[in-house]
Amino acid sequence: MATAGDPDILSDFIVPPNVTNVDGSFFTFTGLRTLVTGGQPITNFNVSKVSLAQFPALNGQSVSYAVLEYAAGTPSPPHTHPRASELLFLIRGTLQVGFVDTTNKLFTQTLQTGDMFVFPKGLVHGQSSYDLS
């Protein structure tokens, strides 16, 4: 049997060696602002990742973030995240989501704007957009 996961850190947070001044800005990521200030209509499936590479304050926190933008009719193929659950929050439109548990039971839901959904760690899941109005 094999297991994987992030080790617990022995401090509140980890400061990279090149950072000398830790204040509130260290814990702030501003790279997603363009997603909420308007822009071009969504025509493709786009992913904006926020992981340790983009946001060093995540080091040791066992969390990352991604914003997925779907054009109508665009699916996200079935996939898994073996080391973490995925929490999804729908900002706009309608999204069909689903996962299969370890007994092969399918769970599906049609999300509306403002809904949140969790995909449990390690389970096959996917989603598809039908309406971005």
Side-chain angles (χ1 to χ4, degrees):
M1 181 170 163
T3 60
D6 294 329
D8 288 331
I9 60 175
L10 301 176
S11 59
D12 293 335
F13 51 89
I14 298 171
V15 179
N18 62 334
V19 174
T20 57
N21 183 29
V22 175
D23 57 17
S25 65
F26 175 73
F27 301 98
T28 304
F29 182 78
T30 61
L32 298 176
R33 287 181 178 174
T34 59
L35 298 175
V36 295
T37 58
Q40 301 298 319
I42 299 166
T43 58
N44 297 313
F45 174 71
N46 301 311
V47 178
S48 301
K49 290 186 177 186
V50 183
S51 63
L52 180 59
Q54 296 84 19
F55 191 18
L58 296 180
N59 192 7
Q61 300 301 320
S62 298
V63 66
S64 64
Y65 197 80
V67 175
L68 309 177
E69 297 176 282
Y70 295 86
T74 306
S76 173
H79 61 282
T80 66
H81 305 284
R83 294 177 29 186
S85 298
E86 178 179 330
L87 189 59
L88 185 147
F89 177 73
L90 186 60
I91 294 173
R92 183 181 64 202
T94 302
L95 190 67
Q96 181 71 33
V97 298
F99 69 88
V100 178
D101 74 4
T102 56
T103 67
N104 211 29
K105 181 176 179 180
L106 175 64
F107 295 84
T108 63
Q109 184 68 28
T110 300
L111 304 181
Q112 305 295 320
T113 299
D115 290 350
M116 187 178 281
F117 192 85
V118 63
F119 299 107
K121 176 173 62 174
L123 298 183
V124 175
H125 65 277
Q127 52 271 350
S128 183
S129 171
Y130 295 105
D131 171 25
L132 289 175
S133 58

